[in-house]
Amino acid sequence: MTTRKKHLLPGFGLSLGYTLVYLSLIVLIPLAAVFLRTTELSFSEFWAVVTTPRVLATYRLTFGASFLAALINLVFGMLTAWVLVRYQFPGKKILDALVDLPFALPTAVAGISLTAIYAPNGWLGQWLEPHGIKVAFTPLGVVVALTFIGLPFVVRTVQPVLEDFSSELEEAAASLGANRWQTFFKVILPAIWPALLTGFSLAFARAVGEYGSVIFIAGNMPMISEITPLMIITKLEQYDYAGATAIAVVMLVISFALLLLINLLQWWSSHRHGGK
């Protein structure tokens, strides 16, 4: 006689139903509405809207700056997580709490603060300006803002993996004659690589849709420092809803394609290293 296992949550059918209804209301229906609103345009009209030089410039800045910021966070986020896990020092808990500051800080406040710091007369900007380094009101300022808001995603994704990583593997590698760099690249990095890719994809996804922290420091100059979310807002302010949704659809498609590629790379990497 078999006993039926009891679950704390409702059965699979009921749980799946609630999940699908919730996802439909929060995610699927709004996304479907964006695509349906775009059908008001013919293909030629749609193509004309999404391929104007000004809009193409916003694509290049938005996705290029987001990718670069995510790469920066990939390196320095891993380094920050390593320091928080492997070392004990005064003020460690304060530093650990500061990592989550971009999560708690309103994006507009972050943008104003970064602008005040990096403006030509700001705390850091006044020292960078004489050397020809302009941060505020340039594409470099956009990268700085996106790096700021994306750092916690990498740190908080990699940190628990490093905490669970057994130091015995490092000791075994050292006993076999591996130096520190060989131990890191051959033992540690393969173990944390899936987490790094996850943190990278989260930081990238957040950066692509960021608005509040960027508009203040970017300067919003057409063809130079204007991001795609601002272009969408501009279309909405002009009551060009079809044009705004057309640009939004392009952003959605490109974002989904890039995230799918990153997830496939993460899946391949985890299976490759898991099979060894």
Side-chain angles (χ1 to χ4, degrees):
M1 182 178 180
T2 59
T3 58
R4 188 174 183 180
K5 186 177 180 180
K6 295 183 178 180
H7 298 277
L8 294 177
L9 295 177
F12 173 75
L14 187 58
S15 300
L16 180 62
Y18 280 127
T19 301
L20 292 177
V21 170
Y22 180 80
L23 287 177
S24 298
L25 292 174
I26 302 299
V27 179
L28 298 180
I29 293 178
L31 291 182
V34 172
F35 282 90
L36 288 175
R37 192 60 185 265
T38 309
T39 58
E40 297 178 3
L41 300 172
S42 64
F43 181 78
S44 59
E45 292 173 335
F46 172 85
W47 188 255
V49 169
V50 301
T51 58
T52 60
R54 184 176 176 181
V55 174
L56 291 177
T58 66
Y59 295 151
R60 288 192 292 268
L61 177 61
T62 298
F63 289 101
S66 299
F67 189 81
L68 181 58
L71 281 180
I72 294 173
N73 284 325
L74 185 70
V75 177
F76 290 97
M78 181 187 66
L79 180 61
T80 303
W82 181 274
V83 170
L84 291 174
V85 171
R86 293 302 180 95
Y87 300 104
Q88 296 294 330
F89 53 90
K92 176 181 177 180
K93 291 186 177 179
I94 297 177
L95 179 61
D96 193 24
L98 286 176
V99 171
D100 293 327
L101 184 61
F103 283 153
L105 196 66
T107 56
V109 176
I112 294 173
S113 302
L114 291 173
T115 305
I117 292 173
Y118 289 104
N121 59 346
W123 293 350
L124 295 179
Q126 62 180 336
W127 301 103
L128 298 175
E129 185 77 12
H131 299 284
I133 303 175
K134 297 181 180 181
V135 178
F137 317 126
T138 66
L140 180 58
V142 177
V143 175
V144 170
L146 297 181
T147 302
F148 173 79
I149 58 98
L151 178 65
F153 291 97
V154 179
V155 176
R156 294 312 184 204
T157 305
V158 177
Q159 190 174 356
V161 179
L162 285 175
E163 289 174 348
D164 293 337
F165 188 80
S166 177
S167 60
E168 296 178 355
L169 296 176
E170 298 177 54
E171 296 172 358
S175 65
L176 293 173
N179 57 36
R180 292 183 178 181
W181 288 109
Q182 289 174 328
T183 301
F184 177 78
F185 285 105
K186 298 293 185 180
V187 179
I188 300 175
L189 186 59
I192 66 174
W193 183 244
L196 282 172
L197 283 177
T198 300
F200 174 86
S201 61
L202 291 174
F204 174 78
R206 169 65 190 277
V208 167
E210 181 60 22
Y211 176 77
S213 64
V214 177
I215 57 172
F216 293 100
I217 195 172
N220 309 320
M221 292 178 284
M223 306 296 294
I224 298 176
S225 60
E226 191 176 37
I227 58 174
T228 307
L230 179 61
M231 193 74 246
I232 296 174
I233 295 297
T234 302
K235 292 285 186 181
L236 292 175
E237 290 176 346
Q238 298 171 352
Y239 301 101
D240 184 7
Y241 300 116
T245 54
I247 299 174
V249 164
V250 173
M251 283 197 70
L252 281 172
V253 172
I254 296 176
S255 299
F256 283 151
L258 291 174
L259 290 177
L260 178 60
L261 179 62
I262 294 171
N263 287 331
L264 288 175
L265 180 60
Q266 179 186 358
W267 174 84
W268 173 82
S269 178
S270 61
H271 279 259
R272 178 173 177 268
H273 293 298
K276 288 187 176 181

